Amino acid sequence: MNWSGRQKFIALALAFLFFSAAISGEQASAHRKAGDACAGPAPQFVDITSTTGIHFAHEISPEKKFIVESMSGGVLLIDYDRDGWLDIYFTNAPTVAMALEGKKARSALYHNNHDGTFTDVTDKAGVGYPGFAMGGAVGDYNNDGWPDIYVTCLGGNVLYRNNGDGTLLTWPSRQACAMAASPPARPLPTTTATAIST
């Protein structure tokens, strides 16, 4: 039998594939026998939203006629009260039709109750209506030890300064950008040197 170079290549490639498959099968079998964690059933996710107390709905426009309506909102994980448990902030934006009618879309801050449930504290915190919110970031822009929220919005961003008492203060967009770029200097603690004489 006279094989061409191409036929030899195909035969070698097929032999290699069959050999690789056989080895992979043996290795998988060995892992299953050894009790490899990867060999078990895949993790199953269960929707528990209804039991958490989170009742947030993002405003959407199914037609998505405008680019701004095709953008989804953001979710920020923040321990705004520094209790060691992550709280959740959802950004929201109105549809163009809502905006033309002067209607607003409500963003929401949910406090973690430490038991798998959350409480809506948006109104108390004062973070419900930043504008046409698209996303955001969490950081301590002024180094006071309390996490602040920076919300990116169409038409102007919003900085919420954490007051440390469960409320956040809104800074207008131009001032927010300037403050985030150069936060006020925080005075450093002073120390007194004591001379030791012997």
Side-chain angles (χ1 to χ4, degrees), residues 37-38 40-46:
C38 294
Q44 300 295 312
F45 292 94
V46 178

Side-chain angles (χ1 to χ4, degrees), residues 20-196:
S20 297
I23 289 177
S24 295
E26 288 176 19
Q27 288 176 342
S29 177
H31 284 295
R32 277 192 293 275
K33 288 177 185 171
D36 187 3
C38 294
Q44 300 295 312
F45 292 94
V46 178
D47 185 353
I48 60 166
T49 308
S50 62
T51 64
T52 64
I54 296 174
H55 305 288
F56 178 79
H58 190 275
E59 295 294 336
I60 60 166
S61 175
E63 307 85 38
K64 297 180 183 169
K65 292 192 274 186
F66 303 97
I67 290 176
V68 72
E69 293 177 332
S70 67
M71 310 275 277
S72 63
V75 177
L76 288 78
L77 299 178
I78 174 175
D79 182 9
Y80 83 100
D81 57 355
R82 296 190 331 183
D83 65 355
W85 294 79
L86 285 176
D87 309 297
I88 306 173
Y89 182 68
F90 295 94
T91 66
N92 209 350
T95 64
V96 172
M98 288 174 63
L100 292 174
E101 295 172 7
K103 295 179 181 176
K104 298 178 179 181
R106 184 176 185 266
S107 295
L109 176 62
Y110 285 91
H111 176 262
N112 190 327
N113 297 327
H114 314 170
D115 61 0
T117 65
F118 293 81
T119 301
D120 188 336
V121 295
T122 308
D123 296 333
K124 178 185 179 213
V127 295
Y129 299 96
F132 233 109
M134 301 286 183
V138 173
D140 183 8
Y141 86 96
N142 57 353
N143 295 321
D144 65 354
W146 292 92
D148 308 297
I149 297 175
Y150 189 77
V151 182
T152 55
C153 302
L154 176 67
N157 301 329
V158 175
L159 174 65
Y160 289 113
R161 186 188 73 200
N162 194 330
N163 296 321
D165 61 0
T167 65
L168 291 100
L169 178 67
T170 307
W171 289 80
S173 60
R174 280 195 188 130
Q175 192 174 7
C177 290
M179 293 296 288
S182 59
R186 185 170 154 207
L188 296 173
T190 57
T191 57
T192 306
T194 306
I196 300 175

